[in-house]
Amino acid sequence: MEIDKQKIETIYIPEYNRATLCISSQIGCSLGCKFCFTGKQGFNRNLYTFEIISQILNVMKFIKIKKLHFITNIVIMGMGEPLLNFKNIVNSILIMLNKYCFNFSKRKITLSTVGIIPAINNLKKYLDIKLALSLHASNNKIRNLIIPLNIKYNIKNILKSIKNYIYKSKANKNGVTIEYIMLKNVNDKEKYAHQLAYILRNLLCKINLIPFNKFSYSKYLCSSNNKIHKFYNILLNYGFIVTIRKNRGIDINAACGQLSGKVFNRIKF
């Protein structure tokens, strides 16, 4: 989708009996997470409420023309950090939830954040929706390296803020989603799986392991399948609900972490 000659990316993910729409909140991103192509683009600006909502409307038009599965879930995990565009994201989600507009269930909308503590604390005044935390490390030393914002908002304080948010949340009654990208020889050692289990021991959550998707100029590689499954089994043995995210859209650079506003062989609205 092109906005004032700048591109944002919206990903339609169809499955057998459902379809998820991954939408963007900003043009680019200012956080510079080392494993994310959007961060390499830099930050252009926040998307306005109508621009966020237009992503849904445009895909709905396409779905109608192509007779595809209707949208059942919205994930705000595209380009940008949603909680750094707080007002427009809150207004957009309120429109998504409104019964006279899209009428989505709050359990069908997930907002992903790297952990903007003041915004998380403020969010509960306005919305009760599902949260996903882009944690990606089991200790501050590693997280500082791959997510520079962690120097300002560390793991302990982020988890405390998340725990406070979901305390009375009905949307998160089954737990917040913890996203953990698997980076070869960075955060994939077995000891880090044990560390992760320890720091999450008092948080109601499920863990989503994400194989790293390679992009241009990245120094990182994806962990081997063997290491990912060892990591998975360790967490499973601690009693966590654990999933391994399917890699989809790699062939068109549309997989998790590959969004950069450079659109090749994609649908243009």
Side-chain angles (χ1 to χ4, degrees):
M1 182 173 173
E2 190 168 306
I3 295 175
D4 53 2
K5 296 184 179 180
Q6 297 175 317
K7 291 183 173 67
I8 61 166
E9 299 197 45
T10 306
I11 311 299
Y12 172 73
I13 310 166
E15 296 182 68
Y16 176 69
N17 60 352
R18 55 183 275 175
T20 299
L21 190 66
C22 178
I23 64 175
S24 296
S25 56
Q26 298 178 317
I27 302 175
C29 186
S30 62
L31 297 183
C33 299
K34 306 303 181 185
F35 49 83
C36 180
F37 202 10
T38 308
K40 299 288 184 182
Q41 177 182 335
F43 177 71
N44 297 91
R45 68 171 174 84
N46 286 327
L47 293 177
Y48 295 109
T49 300
F50 79 90
E51 293 170 329
I52 296 168
I53 292 300
S54 69
Q55 295 174 69
I56 305 173
L57 291 173
N58 279 319
V59 173
M60 282 183 164
K61 289 179 184 177
F62 175 75
I63 288 170
K64 186 175 182 180
I65 293 168
K66 296 293 184 179
K67 297 181 180 179
L68 300 174
H69 203 293
F70 62 90
I71 299 165
T72 57
N73 297 71
I74 299 283
V75 292
I76 308 168
M77 297 182 183
M79 298 170 67
E81 164 54 57
L83 293 184
L84 290 180
N85 187 11
F86 191 87
K87 181 179 178 181
N88 289 308
I89 280 295
V90 168
N91 287 338
S92 298
I93 294 173
L94 289 173
I95 292 170
M96 295 176 206
L97 294 170
N98 191 290
K99 66 179 180 179
Y100 298 112
C101 296
F102 293 100
N103 197 29
F104 281 106
S105 163
K106 61 187 176 183
R107 295 186 179 90
K108 298 296 182 179
I109 301 172
T110 303
L111 184 149
S112 176
T113 177
V114 296
I116 313 296
I117 291 176
I120 295 170
N121 295 340
N122 199 26
L123 188 64
K124 61 186 175 183
K125 299 176 187 176
Y126 303 94
L127 292 170
D128 176 17
I129 56 166
K130 291 176 69 175
L131 283 187
L133 174 63
S134 292
L135 186 60
H136 306 309
S138 59
N139 61 66
N140 287 315
K141 183 178 179 180
I142 294 175
R143 200 168 194 264
N144 288 348
L145 291 175
I146 62 176
I147 303 178
L149 187 72
N150 194 70
I151 296 170
K152 184 174 183 179
Y153 302 127
N154 66 37
I155 291 174
K156 181 180 178 181
N157 291 332
I158 292 170
L159 293 179
K160 180 180 178 182
S161 180
I162 292 288
K163 191 173 182 179
N164 287 339
Y165 179 83
I166 69 171
Y167 178 66
K168 292 184 178 180
S169 169
K170 293 181 180 179
N172 293 276
K173 66 178 184 178
N174 294 322
V176 65
T177 298
I178 300 295
E179 298 170 322
Y180 195 98
I181 197 160
M182 300 300 296
L183 300 171
K184 183 178 180 180
N185 299 328
V186 177
N187 64 354
D188 62 352
K189 294 180 181 178
E190 291 182 28
K191 69 176 182 179
Y192 297 142
H194 293 288
Q195 280 184 4
L196 185 63
Y198 181 77
I199 65 172
L200 298 178
R201 67 195 185 282
N202 294 322
L203 180 68
L204 182 62
C205 65
K206 51 188 175 183
I207 303 168
N208 191 6
L209 302 180
I210 306 170
F212 172 67
N213 297 305
K214 182 74 175 174
F215 57 83
S216 301
Y217 314 116
S218 172
K219 66 179 182 180
Y220 296 110
L221 296 172
C222 182
S223 306
S224 67
N225 284 334
N226 185 46
K227 278 208 167 186
I228 292 173
H229 281 89
K230 281 185 177 179
F231 208 94
Y232 169 90
N233 286 322
I234 290 170
L235 294 170
L236 208 62
N237 287 335
Y238 276 101
F240 289 98
I241 297 171
V242 192
T243 56
I244 300 173
R245 184 174 293 178
K246 293 179 182 178
N247 275 331
R248 302 180 68 183
I250 295 175
D251 56 328
I252 55 169
N253 295 319
C256 181
Q258 291 184 324
L259 307 185
S260 69
K262 296 181 180 179
V263 183
F264 302 103
N265 300 320
R266 308 209 188 130
I267 299 157
K268 294 183 180 180
F269 301 111

